[in-house]
Amino acid sequence: MATDLRLVVFDVDGTLVDSQADIVASMTAAFDGLGVAVPARADILSIVGLSLPQAMARLAPDADGDGLVRAYKAAYVERRAAAGARASSPLYPGARDALERLQAEPNILLGIATGKSRRGLDLLLDAYDLRPYFVTQQVADFHPSKPHPAMLHAAMNEAGVEADQAVMIGDTTFDMDMAGAAGMAFVGVSWGYHPAAHLTEAAAVLDDFDGLDPALAQIWER
């Protein structure tokens, strides 16, 4: 189906919001609570973007993965409730302005593909009043973990676009590989949780959100 629509799909943690303090603290609480050695901070951040069962399997393959998932969720919810979603997961500089610019374009649709749960994403979007920005929201509850392309296939189907009309924005190799598996272009960001040097398949790697619009224009002019 031919269309002039374009779809821009965003990762959340490490791309739109900086949630690393709560992620690391909640992982630490979960591992401590089950008497499992706490992974290094860099190792914890390296798995951000994966669904929790896959993340725990990487961090502690011999531990009780289900127990760690439950303990992490409980710790994360407790911290977020105490501080509020805005304090727990502040927007990166320029994120809201970028979303507003793109939403104002009549042929651009916005989406989300995240390892967060539906509940976690809803709380975040409501805290910033961002829910109306995104026509498609794909979460970990209903899809295989990144880098499986199911989230992006669903997003494109809901938006009514093909892969050459869509771009994934993210900070990790999981986002990059998911986009590649879906046949979509990928734009990386340097401020997230994986080193920018690892985003080797990115059409561009941004140092700030001001570079997003030119990067998208260049991709769609090809």
Side-chain angles (χ1 to χ4, degrees):
M1 180 177 64
T3 176
D4 291 332
L5 291 176
R6 300 289 184 265
L7 175 65
V8 183
V9 183
F10 289 88
D11 170 57
V12 177
D13 294 307
T15 300
L16 291 176
V17 300
D18 186 4
S19 49
Q20 63 178 298
D22 276 357
I23 291 171
V24 172
S26 298
M27 283 289 187
T28 299
F31 277 74
D32 276 342
L34 271 67
V36 181
V38 178
R41 180 185 184 88
D43 291 335
I44 293 173
L45 292 180
S46 76
I47 54 80
V48 175
L50 293 176
S51 299
L52 281 172
Q54 287 72 25
M56 296 307 185
R58 289 199 182 196
L59 291 174
D62 298 324
D64 175 8
D66 290 341
L68 286 171
V69 168
R70 289 192 296 270
Y72 173 84
K73 287 182 175 180
Y76 196 93
V77 167
E78 182 179 356
R79 286 182 59 87
R80 185 177 52 203
R86 285 180 175 245
S88 293
S89 300
L91 285 170
Y92 282 107
R96 180 180 287 277
D97 288 344
L99 294 175
E100 290 178 351
R101 288 196 309 271
L102 292 175
Q103 190 192 41
E105 295 293 331
N107 67 322
I108 293 181
L109 304 175
L110 302 182
I112 281 174
T114 178
K116 283 183 173 299
S117 67
R118 179 76 264 175
R119 179 172 181 267
L121 179 61
D122 284 346
L123 288 169
L124 182 69
L125 294 180
D126 288 343
Y128 286 106
D129 195 25
L130 290 177
R131 193 187 294 264
Y133 285 67
F134 301 102
V135 301
T136 178
Q137 301 168 17
Q138 307 303 324
V139 295
D141 308 59
F142 311 116
H143 296 288
S145 177
K146 297 177 182 181
H148 193 284
M151 288 189 192
L152 295 183
H153 288 157
M156 288 187 285
N157 184 61
E158 291 182 7
V161 303
E162 302 296 334
D164 62 355
Q165 299 163 304
V167 176
M168 176 70 200
I169 315 297
D171 68 303
T172 70
T173 58
F174 311 130
D175 299 315
M176 177 182 71
D177 292 342
M178 178 175 65
M184 288 172 53
F186 172 70
V187 172
V189 303
S190 64
W191 54 79
Y193 304 150
H194 282 193
H198 292 180
L199 305 179
T200 53
E201 300 301 317
V205 177
L206 310 179
D207 291 323
D208 55 54
F209 273 108
D210 289 342
L212 178 55
D213 304 66
L216 293 175
Q218 185 173 20
I219 289 170
W220 284 324
E221 286 171 1
R222 292 174 183 171

